[in-house]
């Protein structure tokens, strides 16, 4: 294979990018050294004229090449090993009563503090402290649902060593006070209204902080029941004429996305989810990006699955445009409100 052929081969770009995602799909060999490597190998790149590609290590070895000692193409890559180590660190955090100190946590998994912190954020999309906070927030939800505990006991059992620390972030995590959350949204006013669009029924709900839900479906009654399930004891108030104008805004945006949508939003989620959702809001209308693109944008290139999970957790259809995220191959993949609605939204935006 001459230089021109090598550079035209799409695998060469993976080698230049040291793309860990391509590991396992092929190996490349260097004729001048007699060594073959995985695409992500950090070693100095060879000249294209000296490179040959093989589908598997056995093929490279059959051609007379030996495995690289640095990237270990026949075994576990450094990225895979680091992922397992960070997963163990996550388990340590989740099993600890209090958030471990960074130095202690890094020492337990055999990393320096700086390298551990960098790898943890690259793989999970969060810092160790943010991961701990997200886990405690999830745990406190479960503890609050245990009626045997007081609210204070639930907060401490979830790993918060002071009430004040949790209350500082409770509205972002729960959307209300812990007491109101435990009581199914009791004494919380949530206004809502229904509308119709070309994509079916639309429900818009608003708390005192802003729009907290935008849902689409075939059956309006199902949408209302889902809202009631989220807040069984909240005061669900049918929208008045002023609020129904909110629904009209959403319907108008669905029908003609070029008009834009400017609404106050009550966005509830973990630190990681909120970073993903902000990145989604930055996608220009009419464009699509991949889950991997979003992961890179938020500084967590290895967190593609977590990004997909955050998209699935989005409760604000169109306002947080998760419909603009597709797979690397362009496939629409999943959508909370149905693939056909996702396709229709993208077609409307593209036409606009």
């Amino acid at each position: 294979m001459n230089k021109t052929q090598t550079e035209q081969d799409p695998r060469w770009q993976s080698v230049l990018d040291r793309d860990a995602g391509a590991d396992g799909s092929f190996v490349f060999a260097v004729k001048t050294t007699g060594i073959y490597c995985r695409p992500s190998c950090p070693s100095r790149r060879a000249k294209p004229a000296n490179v040959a590609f093989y589908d598997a290590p056995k093929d490279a070895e059959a051609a007379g090449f030996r495995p690289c000692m640095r990237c270990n193409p026949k075994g576990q890559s450094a990225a895979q090993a680091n992922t397992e180590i960070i997963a163990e660190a996550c388990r340590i955090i989740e099993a600890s009563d209090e958030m471990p100190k960074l130095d202690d946590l890094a020492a337990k998994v055999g990393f320096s503090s700086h390298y551990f912190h960098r790898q943890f954020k690259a793989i999970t999309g969060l810092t160790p402290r943010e991961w701990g906070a997200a886990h405690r927030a999830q745990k406190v939800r479960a503890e609050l649902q245990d009626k045997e505990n007081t609210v204070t006991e639930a907060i401490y059992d979830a790993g918060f060593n002071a009430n004040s620390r949790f209350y500082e972030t409770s509205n972002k995590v729960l959307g209300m006070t812990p007491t109101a959350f435990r009581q199914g949204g009791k004494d919380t006013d949530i206004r809502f209204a229904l509308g119709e669009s070309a994509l079916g029924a639309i429900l818009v709900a608003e708390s005192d902080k802003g729009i907290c839900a935008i849902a689409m479906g075939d059956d309006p009654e199902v949408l209302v029941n889902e809202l009631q399930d989220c807040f069984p004891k909240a005061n669900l108030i049918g929208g008045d004429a002023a609020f129904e104008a909110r629904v009209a805004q959403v319907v108008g945006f669905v029908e003609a996305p070029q008009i834009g949508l400017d609404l106050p939003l009550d966005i509830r989620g973990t630190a990681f989810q909120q970073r993903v959702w902000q990145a989604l809001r930055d996608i220009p209308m009419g464009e699509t990006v991949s889950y991997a693109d979003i992961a890179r944008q938020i500084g967590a290139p290895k967190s593609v699955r977590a990004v997909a999970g955050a998209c699935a957790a989005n409760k604000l259809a169109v306002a947080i445009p998760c419909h603009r995220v597709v797979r690397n191959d362009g496939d629409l993949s999943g959508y909370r409100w149905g693939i056909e609605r996702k396709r229709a939204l993208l077609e409307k935006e593209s036409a606009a």
Side-chain angles (χ1 to χ4, degrees):
M1 180 178 284
N2 60 39
K3 179 178 179 180
T4 301
Q5 290 174 317
T6 300
E7 292 175 321
Q8 288 179 344
D9 192 307
R11 293 175 291 186
W12 178 241
Q13 190 59 51
S14 295
V15 172
L16 292 178
D17 294 341
R18 294 182 168 86
D19 182 10
D23 288 351
S25 60
F26 71 91
V27 296
F28 71 96
V30 182
K31 300 171 185 176
T32 53
T33 63
I35 292 173
Y36 72 91
C37 306
R38 62 174 74 240
S40 65
C41 183
S43 61
R44 183 179 178 180
R45 288 291 166 259
K47 294 179 179 179
N50 297 327
V51 170
F53 297 108
Y54 295 94
D55 291 336
K58 64 178 182 179
D59 300 321
E61 291 179 8
F65 294 96
R66 63 186 186 277
C68 173
M69 298 293 289
R70 187 171 184 180
C71 70
N72 188 23
K74 294 181 69 175
Q76 190 180 53
S77 69
Q80 291 169 332
N82 284 349
T83 298
E84 290 186 4
I85 290 171
I86 296 305
E88 175 60 23
C90 291
R91 288 190 286 269
I92 293 172
I93 292 173
E94 293 169 4
S96 301
D97 292 333
E98 294 185 6
M99 179 64 199
K101 293 182 178 179
L102 178 64
D103 291 346
D104 295 341
L105 193 55
K108 284 184 178 180
V109 297
F111 282 169
S112 69
S113 297
H114 177 73
Y115 184 75
F116 170 72
H117 192 276
R118 182 157 53 88
Q119 288 297 314
F120 195 101
K121 188 169 184 179
I123 292 170
T124 68
L126 300 172
T127 66
R129 184 163 295 281
E130 287 172 339
W131 180 277
H135 172 70
R136 292 197 303 275
Q138 183 178 10
K139 192 173 180 182
V140 81
R141 290 190 188 98
E143 295 288 347
L144 285 170
Q145 291 171 351
D146 182 352
K147 299 300 189 291
E148 297 297 320
N149 290 340
T150 66
V151 170
T152 298
E153 286 172 338
I155 292 172
Y156 278 93
D157 288 347
F160 291 90
N161 54 21
N163 276 8
S164 58
R165 286 196 173 184
F166 180 73
Y167 278 96
E168 286 171 1
T169 59
S170 63
N171 273 328
K172 286 185 178 180
V173 173
L174 303 176
M176 59 191 71
T177 67
T179 300
F181 180 87
R182 155 169 279 177
Q183 296 174 343
K186 185 179 179 181
D187 298 327
T188 299
D189 291 340
I190 296 179
R191 294 188 296 164
F192 75 96
L194 292 157
E196 279 291 331
S197 76
L199 300 184
I202 292 181
L203 179 144
V204 180
E206 183 176 35
S207 70
D208 60 351
K209 300 176 181 64
I211 302 298
C212 59
I214 299 176
M216 298 184 290
D218 298 321
D219 188 338
E221 185 176 349
V222 171
L223 298 181
V224 174
N225 288 339
E226 289 175 350
L227 183 66
Q228 289 176 325
D229 289 342
C230 288
F231 303 104
K233 296 183 180 179
N235 301 319
L236 298 184
I237 304 169
D240 53 21
F243 182 69
E244 288 178 356
R246 295 281 205 209
V247 183
Q249 278 184 273
V250 177
V251 172
F253 176 73
V254 169
E255 304 292 357
Q258 67 271 21
I259 68 176
L261 186 64
D262 185 16
L263 294 172
L265 302 180
D266 179 5
I267 301 175
R268 309 170 184 185
T270 66
F272 180 81
Q273 287 172 333
Q274 295 205 35
R275 287 167 60 196
V276 171
W277 295 339
Q278 183 55 55
L280 298 182
R281 297 175 70 191
D282 292 337
I283 304 171
M285 184 196 70
E287 296 185 14
T288 60
V289 300
S290 68
Y291 295 104
D293 291 332
I294 295 294
R296 284 191 291 269
Q297 184 176 335
I298 65 173
K302 300 177 184 178
S303 300
V304 177
R305 288 186 179 180
V307 167
C311 291
N314 173 32
K315 294 181 177 64
L316 291 161
V318 300
I320 297 178
C322 55
H323 62 275
R324 296 175 187 165
V325 187
V326 299
R327 291 178 179 170
N328 285 332
D329 60 4
D331 186 85
L332 297 188
S333 67
Y335 187 55
R336 183 175 188 148
W337 297 283
I339 288 292
E340 291 308 313
R341 287 190 178 88
K342 182 172 186 173
R343 180 177 287 107
L345 285 169
L346 292 175
E347 288 175 354
K348 285 177 178 291
E349 292 187 357
S350 180

